[in-house]
Amino acid sequence: MKAVILPQLGGPGQLRIADTATPEPGPGQVRVRLRASALNRRDVWITLGQYPGIRLPCTTGSDGAGVVDQLGPDAPVELLGREVMIYPAYDWGEDPRCPGPTFRVLGMPDPGTFAEYICVPAGHVFPKPAFLSWEQAAAIPLAGLTSWRALMTQAAARPGETVLVTGIGGGVATFALKWAVALGARTFVTSGDDAKLEQSRRMGAAGGVNYRADDWSKQLAKLTGGVDVVIDGTGGPAFKDCFSLLKPAGRLAVYGATAGNPPAGLEMAKLFFRQARIIGSTMGSPAEFAAMLRFVAEHRIEPILDRVFPLDQAVAAHQRLLAAEQFGKIVLRQG
């Protein structure tokens, strides 16, 4: 089979398309003939050596959708021939509050989805909603699940609340906007690109501000009147201002830190007088993945796709993600 291999570090240019052995499913596993897969920032960080526990060579990729074409011993026979989406991790564990010690994301060190076939546990495949294309289905798993847990589980957003999603354009932020709008929340966004702000309004955002403006937080405060929930994957200098926008009993859910740590501390009085909460969040459990897919089907939510590349153009796809040019998900098509 064809697979995207990273033999050495040094950025997306090190990726190679290679012929590798087609995997055979083990006990309790199924093999999926992948039709599409999608990129996440994790995939780029691995090529740059900016991810813990890197083992080379590897095939990355956490998002995938395809057809179950072979069953391992003890796998349910009814799965054969099913169109499925893949849960993008292993070993969440029994505690819904946090993953267990062996939890890991699919794709490095385990073989990932940037290939023609993959073997995964039978319990990790879920029916693909019929109204989604292969590319749309492949776009959902990791980014969709990360934003779902941050917004729905950790921040416990409710209809009618005001939600702020920072850094719109990336996969997680774009899904957070999708979930919040479908939930019935009044949703605002930030971006350094006015075109992305306008695209967000077309998706249902109530408004947004350009964080490159010196007074961006004051603009947001006036525009929103304060927010109940912030979904943030940026951190950095803007974190303190995002926290200051919270209303009493507000929640700030953090799923990433692309701008690094905040350079200054929080105003502690606001934290305790407002009864605010700062909550860390990453990925999600198989149960949350199933709940997210039910929500997708109920609301007929279609992911935003930025670009679709054939598998043999994986380098160009990774370079586009590295440049942060995208709005929505970048997808690879296997067939």
Side-chain angles (χ1 to χ4, degrees):
M1 71 170 183
K2 299 290 185 183
V4 180
I5 304 296
L6 179 67
Q8 61 186 27
L9 302 178
Q14 300 299 325
L15 294 167
R16 299 288 183 266
I17 306 297
D19 288 310
T20 64
T22 301
E24 296 292 325
Q29 289 188 326
V30 299
R31 188 175 71 188
V32 179
R33 170 64 169 99
L34 289 157
R35 299 294 300 276
S37 54
L39 276 66
N40 294 282
R41 289 200 176 275
R42 175 184 189 271
D43 303 309
V44 171
W45 291 335
I46 290 171
T47 72
L48 295 169
Q50 297 175 2
Y51 198 86
I54 292 176
R55 302 179 196 171
L56 299 179
C58 68
T59 296
T60 56
S62 307
D63 294 337
V67 178
V68 175
D69 82 323
Q70 189 171 325
L71 305 177
D74 302 321
V77 295
E78 64 269 18
L79 291 179
L80 189 62
R82 289 278 183 89
E83 296 185 350
V84 298
M85 297 165 60
I86 299 171
Y87 171 68
Y90 286 101
D91 295 347
W92 178 272
E94 300 300 320
D95 191 341
R97 299 173 302 170
C98 61
T102 59
F103 176 79
R104 60 202 186 277
V105 178
L106 180 62
M108 203 296 297
D110 304 279
T113 58
F114 297 160
E116 292 180 315
Y117 294 88
I118 190 170
C119 295
V120 296
H124 286 201
V125 295
F126 292 76
K128 179 183 82 69
F131 68 91
L132 295 178
S133 69
W134 287 115
E135 293 79 9
Q136 289 173 324
I140 294 176
L142 190 146
L145 181 57
T146 297
S147 58
W148 177 269
R149 179 172 174 83
L151 180 72
M152 301 296 208
T153 303
Q154 301 291 66
R158 297 186 294 271
E161 288 192 312
T162 301
V163 172
L164 170 64
V165 179
T166 67
I168 198 66
V172 179
T174 305
F175 275 113
L177 173 59
K178 281 274 188 180
W179 306 148
V181 169
L183 180 66
R186 180 171 168 258
T187 309
F188 296 84
V189 300
T190 67
S191 175
D193 184 335
D194 288 339
K196 291 183 179 180
L197 295 176
E198 180 55 36
Q199 191 163 353
S200 298
R201 292 186 185 96
R202 293 195 294 270
M203 289 173 57
V209 301
N210 191 315
Y211 59 69
R212 301 188 192 280
D214 291 338
D215 64 342
W216 70 269
S217 61
K218 292 182 179 178
Q219 290 183 42
L220 261 180
K222 182 178 180 180
L223 191 63
T224 64
V227 302
D228 300 289
V229 171
V230 178
I231 304 299
D232 180 56
T234 304
F239 188 81
K240 180 179 178 181
D241 290 320
C242 288
F243 174 79
S244 294
L245 290 166
L246 288 176
K247 295 178 181 178
R251 294 87 72 199
L252 196 167
V254 182
Y255 65 86
T258 57
N261 294 323
L266 301 174
E267 297 176 57
M268 300 302 292
K270 288 184 177 179
L271 179 64
F272 56 77
F273 278 125
R274 294 186 184 181
Q275 305 280 333
R277 282 180 283 161
I278 300 173
I279 317 159
S281 187
T282 188
M283 284 294 292
S285 68
E288 287 169 308
F289 192 72
M292 176 188 70
L293 292 184
R294 289 193 296 270
F295 189 86
V296 167
E298 178 184 354
H299 296 275
R300 296 187 68 84
I301 294 174
E302 298 185 14
I304 300 296
L305 302 185
D306 174 76
R307 290 272 298 277
V308 178
F309 294 82
L311 186 66
D312 61 7
Q313 292 183 22
V315 171
H318 282 70
Q319 288 172 335
R320 180 168 178 80
L321 183 58
L322 179 61
E325 298 172 343
Q326 83 283 2
F327 190 101
K329 292 287 288 184
I330 296 171
V331 175
L332 297 177
R333 182 187 293 123
Q334 274 92 325

